[in-house]
Amino acid sequence: MEKIEFADVVRAYLRTVPQAAEVLRRIPEPQRSSFEAWPDEESDLFDFLPMAFMRPVLLPRLTEDPPRPDVLTPCFDFIEGLARNPNAYVQNALHFEVYEQFLRSREILLRARRFCGPVAGEALLQMLKENYPATLDELNGESEPDRP
């Protein structure tokens, strides 16, 4: 996945993530209008990621058993594209609204590590090393097989 520019976040989301258009239609106003008009002064990645991506799409899919690579791979491709954007605002949004959300459970974190691309995977690992070293120590040796 190539770097996703801030101006292209919603277009990349719609192009990459399964059922993205349906999810956007279900978001209440005024957020939906803001997302549909992306980017404008009202666009906020800290709102978009949890409302349009993490809660309705990715987190539920990370708990499915068995995990579905056909759904998870495109989601993590979207994350990887954002992770390749060096903008501090984008990186902060990823940190708080994506990587930290993986800490909800061991299962979610292990699957996230499995499906993360190289840049996002390194960012997730760095977050764990810096902020959650005990969690990282606990998880080492408990990973799922490599990404399909």
Side-chain angles (χ1 to χ4, degrees):
M1 172 61 88
E2 292 183 23
K3 172 178 77 170
I4 298 173
E5 298 293 343
F6 180 78
D8 297 326
V9 167
V10 174
R11 281 190 296 271
Y13 170 72
L14 289 167
R15 185 178 60 246
T16 307
V17 176
Q19 302 154 359
E22 179 184 323
V23 169
L24 282 182
R25 280 192 295 273
R26 291 191 312 247
I27 293 174
E29 292 295 344
Q31 288 85 6
R32 182 175 65 234
S33 293
S34 171
F35 299 159
E36 289 170 347
W38 195 284
D40 62 20
E41 295 86 41
E42 303 298 318
S43 298
D44 189 346
L45 201 52
F46 283 86
D47 287 338
F48 179 79
L49 288 172
M51 290 181 74
F53 180 59
M54 291 302 289
R55 287 192 305 249
V57 179
L58 187 55
L59 289 173
R61 299 318 178 281
L62 282 170
T63 61
E64 290 179 344
D65 200 23
R68 294 185 44 207
D70 62 315
V71 175
L72 290 174
T73 299
C75 291
F76 280 92
D77 287 345
F78 177 67
I79 293 169
E80 181 68 12
L82 290 172
R84 291 173 184 261
N85 184 326
N87 178 282
Y89 173 76
V90 173
Q91 293 306 308
N92 284 333
L94 280 172
H95 176 93
F96 292 106
E97 302 302 341
V98 176
Y99 306 139
E100 290 229 347
Q101 302 311 305
F102 295 151
L103 296 170
R104 290 176 180 229
S105 75
R106 167 181 265 110
E107 176 182 272
I108 288 173
L109 184 54
L110 288 172
R111 287 189 179 162
R113 284 178 63 187
R114 173 183 174 196
F115 282 91
C116 271
V119 177
E122 183 58 35
L124 177 60
L125 181 62
Q126 192 62 36
M127 180 198 77
L128 292 171
K129 283 180 184 176
E130 290 176 6
N131 302 316
Y132 306 97
T135 300
L136 180 61
D137 289 344
E138 195 176 302
L139 290 175
N140 281 335
E142 293 188 30
S143 63
E144 289 192 11
D146 289 337
R147 180 178 178 173

